[in-house]
């Protein structure tokens, strides 16, 4: 159940949030908003893969 929820969230993240790796974003220059998105996507991805 938990894994299924995170897989759904991962798909939604992919559609809604921008991909900062494709934009070549430097993490040291990222704003707090961008860092929050990166952190959220990381959290969802790691839980979807477990």
């Amino acid at each position: 159940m938990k894994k299924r929820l995170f897989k759904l969230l991962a798909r939604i993240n992919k559609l809604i949030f921008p991909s900062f790796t494709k934009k070549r974003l430097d993490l040291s220059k990222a704003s707090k908003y961008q860092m929050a998105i990166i952190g959220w996507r990381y959290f969802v991805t790691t839980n979807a893969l477990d």
Side-chain angles (χ1 to χ4, degrees), residues 2-48:
K2 179 181 171 186
K3 189 172 182 176
R4 187 180 279 173
L5 173 71
F6 279 108
K7 283 191 177 213
L8 176 67
L9 279 174
R11 285 186 183 180
I12 292 170
N13 283 347
K14 191 172 184 178
L15 294 174
I16 294 175
F17 293 124
S19 175
F20 294 123
T21 54
K22 289 181 183 175
K23 293 183 178 181
R24 301 271 187 200
L25 176 70
D26 185 12
L27 289 179
S28 63
K29 296 179 183 176
S31 68
K32 288 185 180 184
Y33 172 73
Q34 291 169 329
M35 290 299 285
I37 291 175
I38 292 167
W40 172 251
R41 289 185 73 166
Y42 174 77
F43 173 73
V44 170
T45 301
T46 55
N47 283 307

